[in-house]
Amino acid sequence: MDLLALAKDIADRVEEEASAAKVPVTVTVIDVHGNSVLQHRMNGALAFSMLISHRKAYTAALTQQRTSDLFELVQPGKELFHLMSQDSFCAMGGGAPLVHDGVVVGGLGISGGTVAQDIGILEAALQPRRHELQKSL
């Protein structure tokens, strides 16, 4: 599996969805060890979205969970509260593990819009494309 090719395809999908929503974002893809594979900042995306998208990708890859699913678990008194004391983790929605053939191969992070916009762009970008669905039928 070529992770860079997958990352480029995901980045194209993210940019397509973000452009349609008129929300400039940064997309980051990392491998399962937390190493950057690709980071793409659209024109107009805020500079800090680069840091946040990386943290979302890192968190999703290392926990193998969507960052939006972690939010409740990192609140004070909850089981993963201390996770948030680590600089590289982020429990804001917009991050997801990248899965290939049933195995987590990396993490994806999107930042630049509201949390709801980032999640919407993420979900749309991860949907199989129509031609991919036809191949699998």
Side-chain angles (χ1 to χ4, degrees):
M1 195 271 317
D2 183 350
L3 186 53
L4 181 58
L6 177 61
K8 288 178 180 180
D9 181 53
I10 292 289
D12 288 344
R13 292 175 185 219
V14 167
E15 185 166 3
E16 184 179 304
E17 294 298 330
S19 294
K22 295 184 171 52
V23 179
V25 299
T26 297
V27 55
T28 300
V29 176
I30 65 164
D31 66 18
V32 292
H33 305 290
N35 300 306
S36 293
V37 174
L38 175 144
Q39 187 168 67
H40 175 70
R41 181 172 157 241
M42 294 173 62
N43 290 333
L46 299 172
F48 76 87
S49 67
M50 295 170 66
L51 175 64
I52 301 302
S53 69
H54 186 272
R55 288 183 177 179
K56 290 178 183 183
Y58 182 86
T59 302
L62 274 64
T63 64
Q64 298 187 5
Q65 294 185 54
R66 291 178 184 268
T67 54
S68 58
D69 293 342
L70 293 171
F71 184 76
E72 291 300 322
L73 300 173
V74 299
Q75 298 306 308
K78 298 293 183 170
E79 58 200 62
L80 296 181
F81 174 66
H82 297 289
L83 182 70
M84 297 318 303
S85 67
Q86 305 301 309
D87 286 341
S88 297
F89 286 89
C90 179
M92 292 173 22
L98 283 179
V99 180
H100 180 76
D101 291 337
V103 176
V104 175
V105 296
L108 167 65
I110 297 169
S111 180
T114 65
V115 171
Q117 289 170 324
D118 290 350
I119 291 171
I121 292 166
L122 172 85
E123 296 299 334
L126 290 176
Q127 291 299 312
R129 293 191 179 185
R130 185 170 281 165
H131 70 274
E132 292 170 352
L133 287 174
Q134 290 172 346
K135 279 191 224 176
S136 65
L137 295 177

